[in-house]
Amino acid sequence: MSKTPEQWLEEAAPGKKAGVFKLFLGYAPGVGKTFSMLSEAIRRHSRGEDIVIGVIETHGRKGTADLLANLETVPRKQIEYKGALFEEMDVDAILARKPKVALVDELAHTNVEGSKNRKRYEDVFELLDADIDVVSTMNIQHLESVTPTVQGVTGIQVRETVPDWVLQRVNEVVMTDLTPEALQNRMRRGDVYPQERVGRALDNFFKETNLIALRELALRQVAHAVDRSLEYHREKQSRAVAIRERIAVCISSNPAAQYLIARGARMAQAMDGELFVVYTDMGQDTSAAHQKTLNANFKFAENVGAAIVKVPGKSVAEAVAQFVNEKHVTQVVFGRSATRGWKRYFYLTAIHQFLRDAPAVDVHIVTQEPN
């Protein structure tokens, strides 16, 4: 049985012995994450550190492939699936080898069925729990809470994701940066993809406007990680207890609620606050279709680190106001779902009722669309 997010994070609680987790973060393929990781590993190896390659994906890039010969590689494990052979990182072989450091590329990778763990980040956690340091890589579009924004910006749905709570276990985040113009020049030279794929890539995902937006998302994530680290050290020095923001996002079974959850997650990250996702159960989501989309919303909320709260009630306004009072919530996010006619009237009436019954809180009414 796979562990829950809480169980994985409990393994890294202060005072417990665990490896150091370092992440090279990029904003798009080709910025040089894997090359930077290998270059650092070679320098550390030359100083005497015991480093092995758990898995590296070269994607046919010669510069990256040339670096592999400088380090020991643990052979991958072959797994048969639907009549074909696949290769995945051999976690048990690395544990048996017991290096000081393991290099694990592409943190968001989903392992083939039949592997020891479903996701590569779970493989990483096993190594960390065995007191093996791990250096890994990831692009910002694979972070769960930013996937709705990425889809809105690029039109591309990212299918392989890393839950936000995984990054709570990362000890150091390093951004591998490159200007969008320089990345596009790499593309044109054929350093990222084969020449036959370059034109289509530059017209789609690698458009300059997309790259600028993705780069900003990555820079924000790194800045947030730095802020959290500074705040942690300041708190250790002053031993002051700060009053944290508490953000509640009100959702329904509508799939668009994931945009609200993502907005709330980004707010919580920026403020280092607690995030609650609140669902008022009025008995209206009994169909199989509604239950399926509701559970998908709950899963998304869990992956971005939210506490899920289900409250029974006859009205959203009354139930949420009671929750806000009890939990001392400071900010509430509602979706703007009705804009015309009698539905607009009832929607505004519910908001006014909430404002009447709730204590003084900041209320955000946002469009349930990618942003």
Side-chain angles (χ1 to χ4, degrees):
M1 181 185 295
S2 61
K3 296 181 183 178
T4 65
E6 291 77 12
Q7 289 171 326
W8 281 121
L9 292 173
E10 174 64 22
E11 296 291 337
K16 291 198 173 184
K17 194 174 183 182
V20 175
F21 189 5
K22 182 171 184 175
L23 179 68
F24 282 88
L25 182 71
Y27 69 88
V31 296
K33 302 177 303 300
T34 304
F35 190 91
S36 297
M37 176 176 67
L38 285 168
S39 298
E40 177 184 302
I42 291 168
R43 290 194 299 272
R44 292 169 65 173
H45 177 65
S46 69
R47 296 195 296 265
E49 286 193 60
D50 183 16
I51 298 178
V52 302
I53 294 172
V55 60
I56 293 291
E57 305 294 352
T58 66
H59 299 290
R61 295 166 194 161
K62 185 177 184 303
T64 302
D66 288 345
L67 297 180
L68 299 184
N70 295 281
L71 296 166
E72 177 187 344
T73 298
V74 175
R76 301 191 198 187
K77 185 175 184 178
Q78 290 195 335
I79 299 172
E80 185 175 349
Y81 178 63
K82 292 186 175 179
L85 277 179
F86 295 85
E87 290 189 338
E88 295 288 4
M89 183 172 74
D90 194 334
V91 182
D92 290 332
I94 298 172
L95 291 171
R97 167 64 176 73
K98 190 65 176 175
K100 172 59 180 170
V101 184
L103 307 184
V104 182
D105 210 5
E106 298 191 357
L107 187 65
H109 173 77
T110 301
N111 295 329
V112 70
E113 190 171 320
S115 300
K116 185 177 185 182
N117 296 305
R118 189 179 68 87
K119 296 289 292 188
R120 187 166 286 169
Y121 64 76
E122 295 176 333
D123 294 338
V124 166
F125 286 168
E126 280 207 42
L127 301 179
L128 292 170
D129 292 345
D131 198 25
I132 297 172
D133 295 349
V134 173
V135 185
S136 190
T137 66
M138 188 181 86
N139 282 325
I140 190 63
Q141 66 262 31
H142 296 289
L143 184 63
E144 187 95 44
S145 66
V146 305
T147 53
T149 301
V150 171
Q151 185 172 0
V153 169
T154 67
I156 295 171
Q157 183 178 2
V158 180
R159 301 194 180 278
E160 290 195 312
T161 60
V162 173
D164 288 46
W165 59 263
V166 171
L167 268 65
Q168 293 179 36
R169 195 162 177 183
V170 175
N171 300 97
E172 182 183 358
V173 178
V174 177
M175 182 167 173
T176 307
D177 197 17
L178 193 68
T179 66
E181 295 84 357
L183 178 55
Q184 288 180 325
N185 287 334
R186 278 189 180 180
M187 291 285 298
R188 294 186 183 98
R189 291 197 302 266
D191 294 342
V192 180
Y193 293 144
Q195 284 292 349
E196 62 270 17
R197 295 176 56 190
V198 169
R200 188 171 63 179
L202 288 172
D203 289 338
N204 292 284
F205 186 85
F206 286 84
K207 286 191 299 187
E208 186 173 15
T209 52
N210 289 353
L211 297 179
I212 290 170
L214 291 168
R215 189 184 188 207
E216 181 181 349
L217 287 171
L219 287 167
R220 285 182 186 176
Q221 183 63 37
V222 174
H224 174 65
V226 171
D227 287 344
R228 283 180 63 93
S229 179
L230 285 171
E231 190 63 30
Y232 170 74
H233 290 294
R234 285 171 181 161
E235 286 181 3
K236 279 185 68 178
Q237 290 174 359
S238 65
R239 298 188 180 182
V241 179
I243 299 175
R244 299 182 71 193
E245 293 279 350
R246 289 186 164 188
I247 299 162
V249 179
C250 304
I251 69 162
S252 65
S253 60
N254 188 333
Q258 293 186 20
Y259 296 126
L260 300 182
I261 298 169
R263 171 72 72 88
R266 293 197 298 275
M267 288 170 60
Q269 286 178 356
M271 301 172 184
D272 194 23
E274 294 180 71
L275 179 62
F276 299 92
V277 167
V278 183
Y279 169 71
T280 304
D281 186 359
M282 299 186 292
Q284 77 277 34
D285 289 319
T286 55
S287 71
H290 283 173
Q291 284 294 306
K292 182 178 180 181
T293 54
L294 182 61
N295 287 331
N297 291 344
F298 289 156
K299 179 63 176 176
F300 185 84
E302 179 184 90
N303 283 344
V304 300
I308 300 168
V309 181
K310 303 173 189 177
V311 292
K314 295 182 179 179
S315 88
V316 172
E318 181 180 340
V320 174
Q322 183 177 345
F323 174 76
V324 166
N325 273 297
E326 291 175 354
K327 294 295 183 181
H328 307 293
V329 169
T330 59
Q331 307 209 34
V332 180
V333 178
F334 289 105
R336 190 177 68 189
S337 56
T339 57
R340 291 188 298 274
W342 62 271
K343 288 186 177 180
R344 176 179 174 83
Y345 170 78
F346 282 116
Y347 173 75
L348 292 175
T349 299
I351 295 295
H352 289 153
Q353 183 185 344
F354 169 78
L355 293 171
R356 183 194 66 202
D357 296 340
V361 293
D362 291 340
V363 176
H364 304 265
I365 301 175
V366 301
T367 303
Q368 294 175 220
E369 296 292 343
N371 52 70

